[in-house]
Amino acid sequence: MSTATTTTTEQQKKKLCEICKVSRPILKRPKTGESICKECFYTVFEDEIHHTIVDNQLFKRGDKVAIGASGGKDSTVLAEIMTKLNKKYDYGLDLFLLSIDEGITGYRDDSLETVKRNQEQYQIPLKILSYKELYNWTMDEIVKEIGLKNNCTFCGVFRRQALDRGAIILGANKIVTGHNADDIAETVLINLLRGDIPRLQRCVNIVTGSEGALPRSKPFKYTYQKEIVMYAYFKKLDYFSTECIYAPNAYRGHVRDFLKDLEAIRPSIIIDIIHSGENFHFNEEFKMPVQGTCIQCGYISSNQLCMACELLKNLNSGLAKVKLSLHNKKLKSTNPQHQLDENNNQNNNNLEIKI
Amino acid sequence: MANTSELAVCGVNDHEDEGNEFMTVNKVAKKDRHKICYKCRDINQKLIILFRNEAYCKTCYIDLIRKKFKPNLAKCRDASRPSRESENVVIALSGGTSSNVMLELIYQNTTNAQKSKLFFKGNCVYIDESSIYPNLKKDDIEVYLKKQCNLYGYPLTIIPLENIFGDNPENREHRVKMLKESVESFSSQTSREDISIFYREQLLRKCALELKAKRVIFGTSSVSLATKVFSLASKGRGFTLPNEVSISNQTEVGGDSIIFNQPMKEFILKEIYIYSRNVIGDLPTQFSSWNAPAKQSLNTLCEDFVHTLQDISSQTVYTLLRSADKLVTPTLDNNFYCSLCYCHLSTHDINHINSIKNVKSTNSNNNNNNNNCCSDNSSCSTTSTTNNSCCSTNNNNNQLSNDTLCYSCRILVKENRNPNLVLPKYIYENSKSILTTAQLKNEIKDFLLDDNDD
Ligand code: SF4
Ligand SMILES: [Zn+2]
Ligand SMILES: [Zn+2]
Ligand SMILES: [Zn+2]
Ligand SMILES: [Zn+2]
């Protein structure tokens, strides 16, 4: 760096990887714009996630960590990275794959095949837990019952609990999910648009869930989606890339396109939005609701019944459609349609807290 | 949405046909409940407007808007002052409809009000940006603003944007050149826009101080503020966002406190346009042609996006502003503000400045070695010897430490492509003063008593 640069070295530099200055660059890093070689990309990509993990003290030696695996690219890369870093830096973690089978024919059944192949590849235990065994309803059945309007609300609430329950069955004490920087930035904007202050407060936290729920962390919090795709592409990882057949698209889709436009002008925008989210300070009067436990299933809840039990009660009594709209009115939600983050099938907007 | 759209409620659904809400009596008459004015019930009054599902006659609508404005304007008064003592204020005019309507509303609530008027001494200020926006129809706007200010009896000051580099009448051309250079040196359209907004705000601040006013009142409407919520969040300005979209935002610089007020926050564009057409009449068009490159600026992207969403859900603007209302910008230390944009610095930034051991070694942004006050010295000879010079000739003073900038301004400054860029003097002065304060504090910190340890 400090040596004088002449025109000739300048020209040579142009052809070489900006990091190792040895190999030929084959990609332009989305986060920094540097032209680098494949090996250097793997290194910086993995190192950054390692630093995120270490700086935020996401794990302790001996932790049993369930990796939320959907078969999509984010969670597949997450499984790859977690196994790799665990070995390389000797985190001393017990890793598990945890998949939730929502019961969506033609979508989840196929993606679960990918997860099963991943299990063989990484040689870590896999648990598949289905909505059917937990709630006695598949998403197919729920959609048949309530139609395509609020399906993601049900699915998101159910998935959140299912992950916790699955992790407990596996004996895990922590959960990691594949939410990346793009997902988080998008959620910040969506929560601003919805006026959803409790979620706005939580969504930028790298670790969420305390008081009864398992700590859930996002090692990809600062990782660009594009880099995850690049990593999966160059490593030729086996992942499943079809969207859920019940995915609604309108609102989150708009925000996503908008974010893409912003990013095209200023590549740091994703991190800048997260920075904004991390620097929001909330008015004292908007306190988080007090947490208790659900009288029916024991899951954390701020009401007598947790969201999942509430939704189930209505489903089982055939009231689902009616009740949900009443509930939305109660929430004064301006955009009641709850949408999914299709990329990794993890719902960003976990609904466990009622206002 | 679907069930309200047929009523064409004022102010919702779309923004394109601003002000075209005037309904003919016939159209209104179709609906029985809208036959008479909701307010005065006078069957002889011609109905003009459907507002929040109710029909109003012209007189009642005007009255409604004026009354709505009053409590907001009252928030722009120093509460500690006796209510009959006039407060000196700067009214920032942009040439647009919103600030023009605001001017009329201020006039109505201060000078013309029959009872319980508010006491203000208004000074209108227009910052002329035509030197960087050549399409701006400067003359038309100025003639119009002069006429309006005359009508209401407010003095009008017009300040060209290049005065950010001083106000010596002899070197105007040089200042224009410097202004252009200092704006065009930034690689992105967003940063070029942002820096000129900062310059405009700084000129208003300075003008307010000269006029012995403690506040500047802006006519920013709810849509513009909702757009700001998005654009500020996108630029990493989450910490300062609540202040910047609030009705009242106070900054303190070197003992001078200036408050920026935005009393039009509650007004949607349609309300403003309808009022404007009915009360004030047509405004001159601001630009001879509008060739802002689409999709090249974060600001315009955010604006378009908010409008798109507002079309989908009429609650968008309202919800965004309510979200921002639930956030606060904590005031940590008035000594620490961004040298460029004057926003409060965050805890992280302040801790960083305080941790700097030696001020002189901080990473300075602008370390130009040539001794000219601008990169091209040909036109500069006249100015560099006088005290009125546009920029300091002493390069020791031309240092902008990145540590004295907020997160967002650091991004902005990074986009500068010109190694010899000279920014307006006040920026360097701010930077220097912040670092000096930090260093002084550091030296005496062992002797300062903490409030908490009694
Ligand atoms: S889109 Fe996601 S949340 Fe919605 S139904 Fe499909 S899997 Fe569930
Ligand atoms: Zn390399
Ligand atoms: Zn329950
Ligand atoms: Zn009337
Ligand atoms: Zn700043």
Side-chain angles (χ1 to χ4, degrees):
Chain A
M1 289 286 280
S2 56
T3 51
T5 47
T6 63
T7 350
T8 39
T9 50
E10 201 72 59
Q11 278 166 351
Q12 278 168 0
K13 249 174 133 188
K14 257 182 198 153
K15 281 184 229 145
L16 295 175
C17 163
E18 285 182 46
I19 294 179
C20 64
K21 317 248 183 326
V22 177
S23 311
R24 289 194 142 253
I26 59 152
L27 61 93
K28 201 170 164 191
R29 204 179 162 204
K31 204 173 197 168
T32 58
E34 298 166 299
S35 303
I36 56 177
C37 71
K38 200 153 80 179
E39 288 309 316
C40 286
F41 173 66
Y42 294 155
T43 313
V44 288
F45 183 85
E46 289 160 9
D47 280 358
E48 272 184 19
I49 293 157
H50 170 62
H51 283 135
T52 306
I53 290 174
V54 173
D55 293 349
N56 295 284
Q57 298 171 311
L58 297 187
F59 312 112
K60 288 196 304 283
R61 277 198 90 73
D63 272 345
K64 297 181 188 316
V65 181
I67 304 167
S70 66
K73 59 182 176 310
D74 299 271
S75 67
T76 305
V77 173
L78 183 65
E80 160 93 13
I81 288 280
M82 286 301 295
T83 19
K84 187 151 193 184
L85 294 179
N86 193 28
K87 277 192 203 127
K88 187 171 170 191
Y89 295 101
D90 189 30
Y91 289 163
L93 306 177
D94 275 343
L95 298 176
F96 304 90
L97 287 174
L98 172 57
S99 284
I100 305 302
D101 180 1
E102 296 93 344
I104 302 171
T105 327
Y107 165 64
R108 187 50 89 218
D109 40 1
D110 290 352
S111 67
L112 284 175
E113 290 309 312
T114 319
V115 181
K116 285 178 192 157
R117 288 196 299 274
N118 286 338
Q119 183 209 358
E120 279 161 30
Q121 194 187 342
Y122 303 123
Q123 288 297 314
I124 45 179
L126 164 69
K127 167 78 193 163
I128 300 175
L129 194 61
S130 70
Y131 282 6
K132 188 74 187 174
E133 32 182 321
L134 273 178
Y135 310 110
N136 204 25
W137 286 84
T138 63
M139 269 320 283
D140 287 340
E141 288 162 356
I142 292 174
V143 167
K144 213 174 267 168
E145 177 76 18
I146 65 156
L148 273 174
K149 208 154 176 227
N150 291 303
N151 52 309
C152 293
T153 307
F154 282 81
C155 194
V157 170
F158 287 170
R159 183 185 302 108
R160 178 162 182 92
Q161 280 209 12
L163 273 173
D164 270 337
R165 291 176 194 282
I168 288 165
I169 294 172
L170 280 167
N173 62 336
K174 281 183 183 161
I175 300 173
V176 286
T177 59
H179 290 105
N180 58 44
D182 298 52
D183 298 331
I184 296 166
E186 190 177 295
T187 310
V188 169
L189 296 184
I190 288 203
N191 288 333
L192 274 174
L193 277 169
R194 287 195 178 135
D196 191 335
I197 302 305
R199 275 189 215 142
L200 187 61
Q201 272 174 291
R202 274 178 290 137
C203 69
V204 288
N205 294 346
I206 190 157
V207 182
T208 52
S210 50
E211 303 169 38
L214 290 184
R216 203 175 268 244
S217 62
K218 308 165 188 147
F220 288 166
K221 180 181 171 188
Y222 299 108
T223 309
Y224 282 30
Q225 186 160 308
K226 274 199 192 115
E227 301 205 344
I228 294 175
V229 178
M230 266 187 181
Y231 191 86
Y233 171 81
F234 286 118
K235 285 256 169 183
K236 301 198 171 51
L237 296 185
D238 179 8
Y239 67 86
F240 183 80
S241 58
T242 310
E243 275 190 16
C244 168
I245 46 170
Y246 302 136
N249 239 330
Y251 213 76
R252 201 174 260 274
H254 278 296
V255 176
R256 187 164 297 170
D257 293 345
F258 169 62
L259 210 52
K260 291 258 150 65
D261 289 345
L262 293 178
E263 207 190 346
I265 304 182
R266 184 177 279 182
S268 68
I269 209 93
I270 303 281
I271 294 297
D272 297 344
I273 293 173
I274 295 177
H275 182 87
S276 279
E278 290 172 338
N279 281 281
F280 283 150
H281 291 258
F282 296 86
N283 238 329
E284 283 300 316
E285 25 184 312
F286 303 97
K287 284 259 162 61
M288 301 281 276
V290 194
Q291 294 285 4
T293 47
C294 168
I295 53 163
Q296 193 147 314
C297 71
Y299 193 77
I300 45 149
S301 168
S302 48
N303 291 39
Q304 278 207 321
L305 279 186
C306 72
M307 257 308 240
C309 287
E310 185 83 39
L311 292 173
L312 270 176
K313 194 176 100 192
N314 302 328
L315 264 182
N316 292 331
S317 58
L319 280 171
K321 264 187 214 165
V322 186
K323 273 291 164 61
L324 197 68
S325 56
L326 282 177
H327 181 70
N328 282 339
K329 252 179 222 154
K330 208 167 72 194
L331 278 170
K332 284 206 208 107
S333 168
T334 44
N335 295 294
Q337 198 173 2
H338 179 74
Q339 318 263 347
L340 164 95
D341 165 11
E342 309 94 324
N343 282 318
N344 46 8
N345 290 306
Q346 304 291 344
N347 210 300
N348 273 335
N349 309 287
N350 303 308
L351 275 164
E352 92 278 34
I353 289 185
K354 290 187 200 170
I355 306 161
Chain B
M1 280 293 294
N3 47 356
T4 54
S5 60
E6 62 173 320
L7 283 169
V9 183
C10 171
V12 298
N13 295 337
D14 61 76
H15 55 97
E16 279 147 17
D17 53 348
E18 286 112 352
N20 290 338
E21 281 302 307
F22 294 92
M23 309 201 100
T24 61
V25 183
N26 287 341
K27 206 171 167 190
V28 173
K30 278 184 201 156
K31 302 216 177 293
D32 281 357
R33 58 188 288 241
H34 297 312
K35 262 182 183 160
I36 51 167
C37 171
Y38 172 75
K39 186 89 183 300
C40 64
R41 305 264 159 211
D42 181 348
I43 33 167
N44 298 319
Q45 287 290 340
K46 193 176 155 201
L47 299 175
I48 59 152
I49 258 156
L50 260 180
F51 181 69
R52 297 203 183 116
N53 285 353
E54 306 296 349
Y56 285 89
C57 70
K58 182 171 161 176
T59 324
C60 290
Y61 178 76
I62 291 170
D63 194 49
L64 187 81
I65 295 295
R66 284 178 187 166
K67 283 201 175 123
K68 182 178 168 180
F69 182 70
K70 194 174 172 189
N72 293 299
L73 183 62
K75 287 182 195 153
C76 308
R77 258 188 68 89
D78 179 356
S80 64
R81 249 171 211 275
S83 62
R84 298 199 145 258
E85 196 182 300
S86 285
E87 191 179 336
N88 217 358
V89 296
V90 163
I91 302 167
L93 298 178
S94 69
T97 312
S98 190
S99 65
N100 203 43
V101 164
M102 179 181 76
L103 177 65
E104 201 273 347
L105 287 172
I106 292 178
Y107 167 76
Q108 289 300 340
N109 278 292
T110 56
T111 318
N112 209 25
Q114 260 87 42
K115 49 188 173 186
S116 65
K117 59 174 154 180
L118 297 167
F119 289 83
F120 280 100
K121 189 167 169 286
N123 301 276
C124 293
V125 179
Y126 172 69
I127 307 292
D128 164 27
E129 298 173 277
S130 58
S131 46
I132 52 167
Y133 298 113
N135 287 335
L136 202 65
K137 284 188 153 185
K138 173 187 172 293
D139 297 336
D140 292 2
I141 298 170
E142 289 187 5
V143 166
Y144 181 79
L145 291 180
K146 273 178 196 154
K147 193 187 96 203
Q148 291 305 100
C149 291
N150 240 333
L151 186 69
Y152 305 130
Y154 294 121
L156 170 69
T157 313
I158 296 172
I159 305 172
L161 195 62
E162 56 269 23
N163 282 17
I164 198 73
F165 284 100
D167 51 13
N168 183 350
E170 283 166 34
N171 64 6
R172 191 185 156 262
E173 266 174 41
H174 176 61
R175 280 183 280 124
V176 170
K177 191 173 147 284
M178 293 201 64
L179 171 67
K180 280 189 181 162
E181 198 174 283
S182 78
V183 170
E184 283 159 13
S185 292
F186 295 94
S187 57
S188 76
Q189 176 66 21
T190 315
S191 293
R192 289 194 283 266
E193 286 169 11
D194 287 353
I195 195 122
S196 54
I197 292 168
F198 296 152
Y199 290 170
R200 175 173 187 257
E201 290 177 350
Q202 172 61 10
L203 284 175
L204 288 165
R205 244 179 234 118
K206 200 168 149 259
C207 178
L209 288 174
E210 281 163 9
L211 290 165
K212 303 219 168 359
K214 287 209 171 307
R215 59 182 79 238
V216 182
I217 307 182
F218 291 84
T220 328
S221 72
S222 62
V223 193
S224 310
L225 287 171
T227 303
K228 245 177 141 180
V229 171
F230 254 27
S231 64
L232 295 174
S234 307
K235 291 174 199 162
R237 307 183 74 95
F239 183 77
T240 163
L241 182 152
N243 267 357
E244 292 190 43
V245 298
S246 79
I247 230 171
S248 182
N249 177 19
Q250 181 165 2
T251 48
E252 206 133 348
V253 182
D256 295 320
S257 148
I258 292 284
I259 301 168
F260 280 0
N261 286 122
Q262 311 187 106
M264 298 296 277
K265 184 174 177 178
E266 312 282 327
F267 289 84
I268 49 179
L269 275 186
K270 262 186 190 164
E271 286 174 318
I272 295 169
Y273 279 95
I274 294 168
Y275 188 87
S276 179
R277 285 209 185 177
N278 257 335
V279 180
I280 306 170
D282 286 339
L283 263 76
T285 21
Q286 292 209 49
F287 290 93
S288 55
S289 66
W290 183 251
N291 47 9
K295 292 208 170 189
Q296 269 187 26
S297 140
L298 295 182
N299 301 319
T300 29
L301 268 179
C302 289
E303 194 180 334
D304 290 350
F305 187 58
V306 167
H307 282 311
T308 310
L309 291 183
Q310 180 72 11
D311 286 348
I312 298 171
S313 161
S314 61
Q315 291 292 307
T316 303
V317 165
Y318 175 83
T319 315
L320 275 171
L321 291 177
R322 288 300 85 84
S323 290
D325 283 347
K326 289 170 187 165
L327 303 171
V328 282
T329 307
T331 311
L332 300 163
D333 188 337
N334 280 334
N335 288 316
F336 296 112
Y337 50 89
C338 172
S339 303
L340 190 51
C341 75
Y342 284 90
C343 75
H344 290 287
L345 294 184
S346 69
T347 321
H348 179 269
D349 295 334
I350 294 178
N351 289 344
H352 182 73
I353 296 182
N354 283 330
S355 71
I356 300 168
K357 288 274 150 1
N358 183 0
V359 167
K360 291 192 181 66
S361 67
T362 60
N363 56 337
S364 159
N365 197 279
N366 199 5
N367 228 341
N368 44 345
N369 295 321
N370 63 346
N371 264 329
N372 305 312
C373 67
C374 53
S375 55
D376 164 21
N377 62 353
S378 58
S379 62
C380 202
S381 50
T382 50
T383 58
S384 49
T385 49
T386 67
N387 243 352
N388 279 339
S389 68
C390 52
C391 50
S392 167
T393 49
N394 179 357
N395 269 301
N396 287 332
N397 289 329
N398 269 13
Q399 292 204 347
L400 172 59
S401 161
N402 267 345
D403 301 318
T404 64
L405 295 175
C406 68
Y407 174 91
S408 184
C409 287
R410 289 199 291 269
I411 298 175
L412 187 149
V413 158
K414 233 194 260 166
E415 289 185 357
N416 168 35
R417 295 167 299 193
N418 175 2
N420 297 320
L421 171 74
V422 176
L423 293 167
K425 224 182 192 168
Y426 77 94
I427 299 171
Y428 303 117
E429 286 170 359
N430 285 344
S431 182
K432 197 176 157 196
S433 125
I434 293 164
L435 289 177
T436 312
T437 312
Q439 195 168 29
L440 289 177
K441 246 183 123 180
N442 221 358
E443 280 165 21
I444 58 165
K445 71 165 183 266
D446 295 338
F447 302 96
L448 291 177
L449 297 174
D450 195 336
D451 275 355
N452 298 324
D453 31 84
D454 279 326

